[in-house]
Amino acid sequence: MTELMSFEEFLKENEKTAKTYAKQYVEGEYRRKYKEEARKKNPDLKKNQLNKMTVSAVEAFKKSPDFEKLVEKLPAEKIKNKMMVHYNHYCEEVETLNEYERMSEAVVTAIPEHIKDAYPKSRMMKRKFILHIGPTNSGKTFTALQKFREAREAAYLAPLRLLALEVYENTNAAGVECSLLTGEEEAIVNGASHVSETIEMADLGKHYDVAVIDECQMIADESRGGAWTAAILGLCAEEIHICMAPNAEDIVRRLVEYCGDEIVEIDRKERMTPLTLDEDGFRFPDGVKPGDALIVFSKRSVINVAAELQARKIACSMIYGALPYETRKAETERFLSGETQVVVATDAIGMGLNLPVKRVVFLETEKFDGYEVRLLKPEEVQQIAGRAGRKGIYDEGKFTAGKGRKFIRRSMSMKPEDINFARIRFPRFLTAVEGKLSDVMNKWDEVETESLFLKADIEQQLKLCEWIENYTDNKDLIYRLINVPFNEKNDDMVLLWQTLAKRVAEEHTVDLTGEIEVLDIEKRRAVSISDINKRIQELEWLYQKYDLI
């Protein structure tokens, strides 16, 4: 901590500033007295003449030895008020610095030496892990879900809402009561012993007999990976099934060993149907066949491709990440029922959606990952292409590409790099540290972590935190507000978040009736739009607003 100087010590430390004020004081006193004497001697002296005489006299005085002597002998009391302003500012700076240092020490103290010890309940258990390792369409999740349904009390942690919903519906249909919990909705079944939820909603304090963590290769994802890490470190389940691609095996093994738990079984899976390159060349749109999934990497591309197909009377479904949940489900069901025979999708199709795709066709080989436009990684190509050839519907799956066919073929033959770190997110328990939450977050970002881990990017959360701190200092509330999921790259959505967050901070409870009525009017207008592409875009935008509200 920085020790605060006394005022006298501050004067000595800031002698140059004090001397400047002393010179100003002596000069001012001389100027005042000179004018008084000049007026006494010559009362009729004009103002401009007096000023000229004063300026000359003052300049001459400042060059005389008497000036420096008076400056040196001037009592500190004469410049006390001027220097006190500087001293008070100095005191504020020291206190701010000391507060930050105290907060920094508190953050470092609050963070356990080992991240695993932030989850004391799970550390008191000896958990058993079963690893289900394999590519897409290998049945690894199916096997894990059998154990989920057979358990007395169990949780399934999904990477997507659609998957959480699918497991929820299938589990209840199998006669096992199951609740649904996602960031956007919940369907609580009274007395249910099972829950299907998105991984961010996992209750790490509740005890389960069995838990299933799906798509664990997501553990390295910059924005969401921390949820998978927290689940592995903190789930209080006797038996934990982890489903993953082969390149996540090493990091998962290391995490289980790090926790002091035991891997009791490794269930390696192979694809249940062959996956091969379609040797026929492909040209869009003439080469499109029933059962095709056409892959692009932006909403604009999805809509443009779908529009071209529709112009040729080819009915198609559209699936992309930002599509409204209900619309995406409806589009999926249209393809499943045979109403559409082609699906146009982004890489959202690659995450466990069970669609009857016969052939995956890459129309694009580059994607924007939030930072830059880059070529697809081998594991991304393999995850998406692996959606072709669903067992029980087709005997084999095919993949091909328009442009970039050689790149896709090469990517399919490459071994993806092993994941060598697990993401960790800003831990909620640090909200208890004294100080502004934004300062605590900044310090957390500076603290070194164990080599197993890499911190998640908190830049956007930090911006939201600094903004809402203008309206509340309730750190628990701020933490919850900045973790509300919404499209943070859309300026209109950020503005809506700010409007709602400010009202929550100031009013504590918010009546959203007015906003909902406006959205209902907009929805009635949107559903009446005849152009299907424009209608979907309008509904998507409305959905994002509904989702946030």
Side-chain angles (χ1 to χ4, degrees), residues 492-493 496 500 518-519 522 539-549:
D492 290 332
M493 291 303 298
L496 179 57
L500 297 175
V518 170
L519 291 182
E522 291 184 29
L539 288 172
E540 176 197 326
W541 170 231
L542 275 171
Y543 169 74
Q544 291 184 37
K545 289 184 178 180
Y546 272 118
D547 215 18
L548 181 54
I549 289 175

Side-chain angles (χ1 to χ4, degrees), residues 292-293 295 357-362 384-385 387-388 398-401:
D292 277 352
I295 307 301
V357 172
K358 185 175 184 179
R359 181 177 65 166
V360 167
V361 182
F362 291 87
I384 296 166
R387 286 293 127 203
K398 295 280 190 179
F399 66 90
T400 188

Side-chain angles (χ1 to χ4, degrees), residues 38-98:
R39 285 195 186 97
K40 284 181 182 178
K41 291 178 180 177
N42 188 357
D44 298 326
L45 199 62
K46 291 184 178 179
K47 186 175 181 180
N48 62 340
Q49 290 178 310
L50 177 61
N51 287 340
K52 285 181 181 181
M53 290 169 57
T54 303
V55 169
S56 297
V58 168
E59 289 302 315
F61 171 66
K62 286 165 65 177
K63 294 174 183 177
S64 70
D66 290 342
F67 177 71
E68 288 297 332
K69 288 178 183 177
L70 287 170
V71 168
E72 294 296 331
K73 292 180 179 179
L74 186 72
E77 286 296 317
K78 298 295 183 181
I79 57 170
K80 183 176 181 179
N81 290 340
K82 291 270 189 183
M83 287 302 294
M84 189 58 74
V85 173
H86 285 269
Y87 181 68
N88 289 338
H89 182 64
Y90 153 76
C91 291
E92 289 174 4
E93 285 185 338
V94 170
E95 182 54 32
T96 299
L97 179 62
N98 285 343

Side-chain angles (χ1 to χ4, degrees), residues 321-468:
L323 198 67
Y325 170 68
E326 293 80 5
T327 307
R328 194 190 318 189
K329 184 171 182 286
E331 290 291 289
T332 300
E333 288 175 349
R334 289 176 68 211
F335 188 65
L336 287 168
S337 68
E339 182 184 340
T340 60
Q341 294 183 308
V342 176
V343 60
V344 184
T346 63
D347 48 353
I349 198 176
M351 196 64 69
L353 290 178
N354 292 314
L355 298 173
V357 172
K358 185 175 184 179
R359 181 177 65 166
V360 167
V361 182
F362 291 87
L363 298 184
E364 296 175 352
T365 57
E366 293 182 334
K367 66 178 285 187
F368 179 68
D369 62 6
Y371 299 93
E372 62 181 353
V373 176
R374 60 165 175 80
L375 284 169
L376 298 173
K377 297 176 182 178
E379 56 267 32
E380 293 170 331
V381 173
Q382 293 168 22
Q383 179 88 11
I384 296 166
R387 286 293 127 203
R390 186 177 175 187
K391 183 176 172 61
I393 299 177
Y394 300 112
D395 294 330
E396 64 174 350
K398 295 280 190 179
F399 66 90
T400 188
K403 294 178 181 178
R405 181 180 167 89
K406 288 182 180 178
F407 169 77
I408 294 298
R409 181 170 56 190
R410 186 171 64 251
S411 297
M412 288 297 293
S413 66
M414 293 173 67
K415 182 181 183 298
E417 291 184 10
D418 285 344
I419 298 168
N420 56 16
F421 64 85
R423 291 280 180 187
I424 49 172
R425 54 192 177 184
F426 177 77
R428 185 166 187 163
F429 63 78
L430 287 183
T431 58
V433 173
E434 191 172 339
K436 291 170 66 176
L437 185 58
S438 57
D439 289 338
V440 175
M441 291 173 71
N442 272 314
K443 184 60 186 176
W444 155 258
D445 217 26
E446 296 170 5
V447 174
E448 289 291 326
T449 58
E450 295 161 276
S451 59
L452 269 175
F453 305 105
L454 192 64
K455 293 195 189 79
D457 184 7
I458 61 170
E459 181 182 0
Q460 188 59 38
Q461 285 181 312
L462 191 53
K463 287 179 182 176
L464 298 176
C465 179
E466 290 170 344
W467 186 88
I468 197 62

